[in-house]
Amino acid sequence: GDIDAQTIGGAIGTATHGSGRAFGSFSSAVRRIEYVGADARVHTVDSTDARFGAFRTSLGLLGIFTRVELDLQHAYYLRERIEHWPLSEVLDRWDVETSTRRHFSYFWPPAANSLEMYGFAPTAVEDGCHVKIYDELTPQDAAATDTQDGSRVAPAYQIYASDFDLAFHEYE
């Protein structure tokens, strides 16, 4: 995604979020953690332990993770469409778009050159936003999808990966 220089442990410990309204943070996929505690012993926690939620977002403060068990998903494809909408349309359609898409996001440029900072072309739409629309596809649907409209279809790991060459560091 936007931040691709992270370890699995770092993504878990900071509760790095993905995208899509129906999906939890990266740490929500953790099923079991093995860690070395302050007593220098190896311990295991899972969902039966009342402390489990704290470990899933601990920033490394509760011990050193030596093994994690994750709930994995099958690989999937995405169809990506980039459009330019007025901010008012984004706000009007927000609930529908975020509840029916795998991913829906936008960049609203508060200044004339804000989109260029992210490497995006300026929008010709007044008070316009750079809108990202991602729909999940099966491999069969991906193979049959027409992309003549400028959309892009590929495995999710290729669509989500961003290659921002930013002149600044983004912190969340």
Side-chain angles (χ1 to χ4, degrees), residues 4 14 17 24 41-42 47 65 67 71 90 95-96 99 108-109 116 118 120 138-139 142 147 172:
D4 63 357
T14 59
H17 62 84
R41 293 181 24 207
V42 176
S47 62
F65 292 4
R67 182 176 294 172
D71 181 22
V90 170
D95 285 335
V96 171
S99 64
W108 173 69
E116 288 97 357
Y118 283 92
F120 301 141
T138 65
T147 58
E172 293 186 12

Side-chain angles (χ1 to χ4, degrees), residues 14 82 87 107 126 164-165:
T14 59
I82 303 297
L87 178 60
F107 287 84
E126 186 174 338
F164 290 134
D165 186 18

Side-chain angles (χ1 to χ4, degrees), residues 7 11 13 17 20 46 61 78 81 85 90-91 93 99 104 131 133 149 152 154 160 166:
T7 63
H17 62 84
D46 61 21
L61 297 173
L78 288 173
R81 290 193 337 262
W85 299 359
V90 170
L91 298 176
R93 293 173 59 175
S99 64
F104 178 83
V131 178
I133 302 168
D149 62 357
R152 187 169 67 130
Y160 278 127
L166 303 176

Side-chain angles (χ1 to χ4, degrees), residues 12-13 26-27 32 43 45 58 60 66 69 73 78 85 90 98 118 123 137 143 146 165:
I12 292 167
F26 199 94
S27 61
R32 190 173 64 82
H43 303 273
V45 293
S58 68
T66 56
E69 180 180 315
Q73 307 260 328
L78 288 173
W85 299 359
V90 170
T98 58
Y118 283 92
T123 176
L137 301 173
D146 180 9
D165 186 18

Side-chain angles (χ1 to χ4, degrees), residues 113-171:
N113 64 345
S114 296
L115 288 175
E116 288 97 357
M117 290 174 48
Y118 283 92
F120 301 141
T123 176
V125 177
E126 186 174 338
D127 201 25
C129 300
H130 178 91
V131 178
K132 290 179 166 183
I133 302 168
Y134 294 176
D135 291 311
E136 187 172 334
L137 301 173
T138 65
Q140 297 80 11
D141 289 341
T145 299
D146 180 9
T147 58
Q148 291 182 5
D149 62 357
S151 63
R152 187 169 67 130
V153 173
Y157 72 90
Q158 292 177 354
I159 298 287
Y160 278 127
S162 298
D163 189 20
F164 290 134
D165 186 18
L166 303 176
F168 63 92
H169 294 284
E170 178 180 18
Y171 296 100

